[in-house]
Amino acid sequence: MSSVIPPGLDNRGVLSRFASGGDTKDWLPYTKIKLYTNAFIVKDNKVLLGFKKRGFGKGKYNGFGGKVDPGETSLQAAVRELQEESGVTAPLEHAGTLFFVSEGEDWAFEIEIYRADSYEGDITESDEMRPEWFSTVGVLDGDSQSSTIPFSKMWESDIVWFPYLISKRKFAGRADFTREGDEFRLHRWWYGTVSDSSSEQ
Ligand SMILES: COc1nc(N)nc2c1ncn2[C@H]1C[C@H](O)[C@@H](COP(=O)(O)OP(=O)(O)OP(=O)(O)O)O1
């Protein structure tokens, strides 16, 4: 497993690898970066996910999020997207950074991940997302596969970093995907914990 930090994770503080793998050839190239957010509520041993009803990632479960608009910080965007897609507001805290590159695209996704232990408001289905709670039992015992979290209906790399999200250990990672028709296949990945507060968002 490679301990060399991949391009795109520079200036993320001191990273210590906890997972890497896949094809050992070069990381996929990109020329532009698009900023996105993703937010999760983790409460009473459960995590709130949304089933994506339209757009990019349709048919998958994910956190609530979207593009960072011009003039917004990623935290402001995360709060706005969470409210728009799930109906709730929450005291979000930065939990990690994900960097994704897909074959055939010249831009990369940089996704700032947020989480909160509480929320206010009524959880409400939106045009984009159908919210649903899932038990986190098993995830912290290194037994993510047997948990009820629907990893087989999530982005393939999510199972790698989910235990870090649930246990509040800040992480940063990169995953490159190849395309098979409309499907994305995990090609190469690298994830590390972040131990330097200079990576705060
Ligand atoms: C491996 O790739 C991904 N993994 C995970 N976990 N999440 C991902 C991945 N690629 C994208 N995402 C997230 C990032 C965002 O939260 C959404 C995509 O945002 P969307 O396209 O829905 O953005 P909006 O601004 O809401 O778009 P609209 O114009 O439709 O409002 O997926």
Side-chain angles (χ1 to χ4, degrees):
M1 293 209 287
S2 170
S3 59
V4 179
I5 295 167
L9 299 184
D10 331 88
N11 305 316
R12 289 283 156 197
V14 177
L15 300 182
S16 304
R17 180 184 57 76
F18 62 80
S20 61
D23 196 306
T24 54
K25 288 202 283 271
D26 290 343
W27 292 98
L28 294 172
Y30 61 90
T31 56
K32 291 172 277 185
I33 297 174
K34 292 186 185 177
L35 284 179
Y36 285 78
T37 65
N38 218 331
F40 298 82
I41 310 292
V42 185
K43 192 170 188 294
D44 301 333
N45 295 321
K46 287 182 289 187
V47 60
L48 185 67
L49 300 177
F51 180 78
K52 191 103 191 284
K53 294 158 61 178
R54 63 168 165 85
F56 190 70
K58 181 181 174 185
K60 292 185 193 297
Y61 284 93
N62 206 342
F64 301 87
K67 298 176 200 72
V68 178
D69 286 341
E72 268 184 331
T73 65
S74 63
L75 175 58
Q76 288 166 340
V79 170
R80 174 182 55 74
E81 289 278 353
L82 177 67
Q83 206 283 326
E84 287 174 4
E85 294 184 358
S86 75
V88 304
T89 55
L92 296 175
E93 294 181 1
H94 190 235
T97 302
L98 301 174
F99 202 83
F100 297 118
V101 185
S102 296
E103 183 182 28
E105 303 286 357
D106 67 346
W107 47 269
F109 274 99
E110 182 179 323
I111 307 175
E112 298 304 340
I113 308 288
Y114 290 87
R115 57 161 284 156
D117 298 331
S118 62
Y119 65 92
E120 286 185 5
D122 295 325
I123 295 170
T124 309
E125 182 169 346
S126 61
D127 289 350
E128 195 163 339
M129 290 291 223
R130 189 180 72 232
E132 195 173 334
W133 289 102
F134 293 92
S135 169
T136 58
V137 171
V139 174
L140 298 183
D141 309 326
D143 196 15
S144 296
Q145 291 285 4
S146 72
S147 80
T148 61
I149 294 174
F151 288 114
S152 64
K153 294 179 185 164
M154 294 166 70
W155 286 97
E156 198 179 344
S157 49
D158 291 0
I159 196 168
V160 178
W161 51 267
F162 230 72
Y164 293 80
L165 172 79
I166 301 301
S167 62
K168 294 191 184 180
R169 283 174 289 170
K170 197 172 273 196
F171 59 91
R174 172 168 173 170
D176 283 7
F177 288 82
T178 51
R179 300 283 288 268
E180 287 175 24
D182 289 343
E183 292 296 311
F184 292 85
R185 295 276 171 246
L186 189 55
H187 171 71
R188 187 176 183 185
W189 63 95
W190 191 102
Y191 290 88
T193 50
V194 179
S195 56
D196 184 341
S197 60
S198 65
S199 66
E200 288 292 334
Q201 293 294 309

